[in-house]
Amino acid sequence: MLATGAIKEGEAVYVIIKNRETWKVEAGAEIQAGVSVETGEDGKIVKALGEDAPPIIGYSINTAIAGEVVSYVRNVKGGGEGVPGPQGSKRQGCWEEQWNEIVARVETLEG
């Protein structure tokens, strides 16, 4: 996470998550808010610990104990090489005015 200013111990802070997908999954063990998480047994998520930890899939945004639902922000980095899809026109089936409207909406949402 990125702090935009100094944080003092015990001070309440607000977190803004922008353009990140959140998922809800059952916790496989106790998880604190703001920790890196990985896939555990049976598809449950657990804290990502140590140098030998599998790939981090994101970070938790709430505290949970085993069996409770924990929300996490999905890590969108990485991914392997895939087979390229078919090449087509960037604006196939879309008129200029509609395209510009879509672009304006996306820019507004992404701020």
Side-chain angles (χ1 to χ4, degrees):
M1 291 189 209
L2 171 69
T4 57
I7 300 173
K8 298 175 185 160
E9 186 174 337
E11 178 181 21
V13 296
Y14 295 92
V15 178
I16 298 172
I17 301 170
K18 295 183 177 182
N19 300 322
R20 300 310 290 273
E21 186 172 342
T22 60
W23 291 27
K24 294 178 186 250
V25 180
E26 183 179 345
E30 183 178 349
I31 297 176
Q32 293 79 30
V35 298
S36 296
V37 292
E38 65 187 18
T39 305
E41 291 184 32
D42 299 323
K44 299 173 185 178
I45 63 170
V46 295
K47 292 186 282 190
L49 299 171
E51 295 177 16
D52 298 344
I56 294 170
I57 61 170
Y59 60 90
S60 61
I61 55 176
N62 66 289
T63 299
I65 59 172
E68 290 184 334
V69 174
V70 63
S71 295
Y72 75 96
V73 176
R74 188 173 66 92
N75 184 358
V76 294
K77 293 186 222 171
E81 290 289 323
V83 177
Q87 195 69 12
S89 168
K90 290 184 181 179
R91 298 182 186 173
Q92 186 173 11
C94 186
W95 292 280
E96 187 75 25
E97 183 178 328
Q98 290 172 319
W99 177 257
N100 292 336
E101 183 180 332
I102 291 168
V103 170
R105 287 180 181 183
V106 170
E107 288 172 348
T108 299
L109 289 172
E110 292 181 351

